[in-house]
Amino acid sequence: MNNTYQLPQPIAELLASSKNVDAKQPELIRQGGYVPPSMDLMIDAITALAMGKNLLLKGPTGAGKTKFAETLSNMFHQPMYSVNCSVDLDAESLMGFKTLAYHDNKQVIEFVPGPVTNAMNTGTFLYIDEINMAKPETLPLINGVLDYRRTVTNPFTNEIITAKKGFNVIAAINEGYIGTVPLNEALKNRFIIIDVPYIEGEQLRHLIASTTRLKDNHTIELFVQLSADLIAAVGQGKLSEDAASIRALLDACDLSTILPPKRAIQRAIAAKLEEVREREFVQNIADTLF
Ligand SMILES: Nc1ncnc2c1ncn2[C@@H]1O[C@H](COP(=O)(O)OP(=O)(O)OP(=O)(O)O)[C@@H](O)[C@H]1O
Ligand SMILES: [Mg+2]
């Protein structure tokens, strides 16, 4: 697979007019970046960001959502501040906190900015991971950040912050994962949704060859087949979704360069599954392939 993509002319022009992407440089994705299942997915994400819209990446664990966000921020030459959501996420972890400091031997109260205030003040990217893990009452604080106002009142300083040009929000969710809550409609409404599936076939072959230690084409082919079988079994409800995680598959590929592949699959993929039935199912697929 070609590692670089030529952007269609209207998108290159849009980028040139709106953001600090070097649109003269068509080779936007290089080795080590996110490998999209189709070029459309990449084009849609770039277009939405170039228009200043918020992106919500939706997909199972190990599908490359974080990698995708990193790749996009690299393309826009923008650093990325991150927030990891959890039930403990509060206003301070988003906006920052007050602390005591000393200036010229005098005690003063200083405000230490958080990821939201930092990204807004510097006009850079904000990545909100596992956004559906946060308590539903926490995130409405940043509703104004996510709509046309691009503004928030910092509850700790009463300062009104308006995002600088270049500020963009990318969030990620793993739907149905334990501990997650359905995303509030008003919040979801503020995003352009991009589904991030597990990649397959040619894209997966390229990813394995370029990012793992596995270089033998025949074995790579077997792992690509294993992944297709796992994805099919997930589709039929025989395995839970994370059985087909690309993260786990890449780990198995790496281990297989030293360990026998079946043991690598057991350690990296099968052992993570809850039910004995599922673990046996994965080992059976491995037995028939390797
Ligand atoms: N399409 C892809 N292109 C590039 N790398 C990928 C892709 N899919 C998976 N990976 C690799 O798999 C690993 C997991 O990816 P990443 O952490 O981005 O997943 P995620 O969707 O954010 O998972 P989680 O929901 O658990 O946070 C990384 O090493 C990443 O590089
Ligand atoms: Mg992630």
Side-chain angles (χ1 to χ4, degrees), residues 220-257:
I220 291 178
E221 210 47 57
L222 293 177
F223 273 104
V224 171
Q225 186 56 50
L226 171 74
S227 184
D229 292 349
L230 293 173
I231 290 173
V234 169
Q236 294 158 5
K238 292 180 184 156
L239 290 174
S240 52
E241 202 166 36
D242 49 335
S245 163
I246 300 296
R247 178 190 288 123
L249 187 87
L250 298 177
D251 284 341
C253 291
D254 272 329
L255 293 181
S256 77
T257 58

Side-chain angles (χ1 to χ4, degrees), residues 60-67 84 127 129-130 172 174 247:
T61 185
K65 299 182 293 297
T66 303
K67 188 60 144 190
N84 267 303
Y127 180 57
D129 207 1
E130 318 257 17
N174 192 333
R247 178 190 288 123

Side-chain angles (χ1 to χ4, degrees), residues 32-37 41 57-71 84 127 129-130 172-174 177 196-200 203-204 206-207 210-211 245-251:
Y34 175 72
V35 179
L41 196 94
L57 308 179
K58 217 165 95 178
T61 185
K65 299 182 293 297
T66 303
K67 188 60 144 190
F68 195 5
E70 273 178 6
T71 304
N84 267 303
Y127 180 57
D129 207 1
E130 318 257 17
I173 61 171
N174 192 333
Y177 201 67
V196 181
Y198 290 136
I199 53 165
E200 301 184 63
Q203 282 80 8
L204 182 57
H206 162 74
L207 183 66
S210 61
T211 62
S245 163
I246 300 296
R247 178 190 288 123
L249 187 87
L250 298 177
D251 284 341

Side-chain angles (χ1 to χ4, degrees), residues 178-203:
I178 300 162
T180 61
V181 289
L183 211 57
N184 162 311
E185 282 306 320
L187 186 63
K188 200 189 267 179
N189 207 255
R190 287 168 161 76
F191 286 95
I192 302 294
I193 314 269
I194 305 263
D195 283 302
V196 181
Y198 290 136
I199 53 165
E200 301 184 63
E202 186 52 34
Q203 282 80 8

Side-chain angles (χ1 to χ4, degrees), residues 226 230 233 239 243-244 265-266 269-271 273 276-288:
L226 171 74
L230 293 173
L239 290 174
I265 292 164
Q266 187 202 336
I269 302 173
L273 302 170
V276 180
R277 178 187 57 80
E278 287 186 294
R279 294 199 287 270
E280 285 173 357
F281 190 88
V282 172
Q283 281 309 139
N284 285 342
I285 300 179
D287 286 344
T288 48

